[in-house]
Amino acid sequence: MKKTLYLKFVLAYFIFGVFAFIIVTTFVPSMTEEHLVREKAKNLYYEAMLVAENYASGLYTSENSLEEVKTQLDSLAIYLESVICIINPSGRLVLDTSSPINVEDVVMIENFDPTVTRGSYYTVDKFFGNYETDMLSVFAPITSNYKVKGYVVILCDMTNIRESCNNLLRISYITLVILLLLSGIILIFFTEMVYMPLRKITYATEQYASGNMHYEFQVESEDEIGYLAVCLNYMASEIARAEDNQKKFVANVSHDFRSPLTSIHGYLEAMLDGTIPPEAYEKYLNILLNETDRLTKLTNSLLTLNNLNTRGMILNKSDFDINQVIRRTAATFEGICRQKTIAIEVILSGDKMYVYADMEKIQQVLYNLLDNAIKFSHHNSVIKIETSEKKNKLFVSVKDTGIGIPKDDLKLIWDRFYKSDLSRGKDKKGTGLGLSIVKEIINTHGEHINVISTEGAGSEFIFSLQQSADNDEEDL
């Protein structure tokens, strides 16, 4: 049987109730009765001492008559709800408030022994067999000339004391019931506020463990359990998003590898079976070469992106002249720009401008942005590279007047393998990874990159870099 947390709490509640009942019904009655007997005996002994000193001693010195003492003790006995006796050491009953005075009949208390209390001042018994029920009795000696002449004995029926004890026990039982009800309310509160949310969280984790990352649940609580539920929901959504991205990633990789491989396979098969004549080999071999270049570029981009993610992109920062890097990168596109009659206009802030960054990775950023700009620019157009300074930051802009990016696609261009519908026709060799790599590199530098684009009018990418202190030295 599965032991749940709730079952443990219910079991603990049951054990608490059982032990509380046992303690209240077993130990509390005896402790309460003992306390009442002790307090009652203490009060009676005090009264017995007063009687022995003020009234009973006068009987043996002839200062008080038996009738006078009897009258006084009768009133006191009614007040104390007890029986007051005066007994000689031999056991002869001298006076008893429960019966009239009779000097002719001698009443003896058989086996009377005042030492029965054994060092205490009270005892609970049937008073040497003279009563059918237990009596609380206290003994106070009557002394005269340093001799014990007799004893004042006050007897109280234990039935009255036990009735008082039962009244107090009823209060204890009512208190126990109230405590059990309150603890039951706490158990209900725990069920609603702790156990039920935990059950939801547990069921949700089981769903997530089984692969259902799209399962959603809600816990109406603002405490730690509610925060845990929110975090768990967020974690699941992030994992689900990562899984969706992974599936999309695999699908995109498969598609981008399948297309050139299909072309290569088809052309080679056509060349082997004679569909393509030998005189046309050169044309189709160039096509195959372009397809292999595309595969190589895709593989290199994947490796680059993987290294950026797994190794956290270790930067080799240094001070370098960004103007020189811009000019050198722009020069690498001279051939393709001549073919498309595209001009690259470079507007730089100062002859030299030093920044503190990883030169190779910033050069890769510039290369990817220029490559994109050229792909999507029209013939006889101009691509502008411009730098500007602001608050120790250098801003680099790469602007084209090409096809632009649709507004709905602006937030998606940084995703891996993403290509807008407008770019698919023109970007035959693109991998969809260039901008993802750019974003990773700029973010790792702790800088920002933004895009401004209008569909049909062109796009502008702007990224920032930290200026180097060497610029201040050059100004001096």
Side-chain angles (χ1 to χ4, degrees), residues 263-274:
S263 297
I264 293 172
H265 180 270
Y267 287 131
L268 289 176
E269 194 175 52
M271 292 170 71
L272 287 175
D273 62 16

Side-chain angles (χ1 to χ4, degrees), residues 321-369:
D321 182 12
I322 187 65
N323 291 349
Q324 182 182 359
V325 173
I326 292 173
R327 294 188 188 100
R328 187 166 59 239
T329 305
T332 60
F333 292 94
E334 183 178 349
I336 190 171
C337 285
R338 187 180 295 113
Q339 292 176 10
K340 295 185 67 174
T341 60
I342 294 175
I344 297 179
E345 182 181 353
V346 179
I347 304 174
L348 303 177
S349 176
D351 184 50
K352 292 184 178 181
M353 179 58 62
Y354 287 91
V355 295
Y356 183 66
D358 188 317
M359 186 177 67
E360 291 185 2
K361 290 184 171 56
I362 296 303
Q363 186 172 5
Q364 186 176 6
V365 169
L366 289 167
Y367 184 91
N368 288 356
L369 293 178

Side-chain angles (χ1 to χ4, degrees), residues 118-230:
R118 297 180 181 178
S120 180
Y121 50 85
Y122 73 94
T123 183
V124 177
D125 52 22
K126 292 182 172 55
F127 195 64
F128 308 105
N130 288 275
Y131 290 89
E132 294 181 357
T133 60
D134 288 338
M135 303 291 289
L136 168 63
S137 55
V138 295
F139 297 79
I142 304 171
T143 58
S144 178
N145 296 324
Y146 303 104
K147 291 183 179 180
V148 177
K149 300 296 184 177
Y151 295 91
V152 174
V153 179
I154 300 180
L155 302 166
C156 181
D157 195 343
M158 284 296 297
T159 303
N160 298 330
I161 296 177
R162 285 171 180 146
E163 185 177 350
S164 299
C165 179
N166 291 332
N167 292 332
L168 291 177
L169 286 177
R170 290 190 190 96
I171 298 174
S172 299
Y173 296 146
I174 293 173
T175 303
L176 174 62
V177 171
I178 293 173
L179 287 176
L180 291 176
L181 290 175
L182 289 176
S183 58
I185 294 173
I186 294 174
L187 182 63
I188 295 172
F189 178 81
F190 167 81
T191 302
E192 292 296 326
M193 303 300 295
V194 179
Y195 176 68
M196 296 306 295
L198 282 179
R199 279 197 63 182
K200 290 183 179 179
I201 292 174
T202 302
Y203 182 76
T205 54
E206 291 174 352
Q207 291 295 314
Y208 300 149
S210 63
N212 182 15
M213 291 299 171
H214 295 282
Y215 176 77
E216 295 183 0
F217 70 103
Q218 189 173 5
V219 174
E220 298 294 339
S221 177
E222 296 182 359
D223 54 12
E224 289 81 357
I225 293 180
Y227 181 71
L228 174 63
V230 171

Side-chain angles (χ1 to χ4, degrees), residues 257 292-308 364 368 417 431 433-434 437:
F257 269 96
T292 56
D293 288 341
R294 181 182 172 187
L295 285 174
T296 301
K297 186 176 180 180
L298 177 60
T299 303
N300 291 336
S301 296
L302 285 172
L303 290 173
T304 300
L305 198 58
N306 182 66
N307 290 335
L308 296 182
Q364 186 176 6
N368 288 356
F417 293 102
T431 63
L433 296 173
I437 294 173

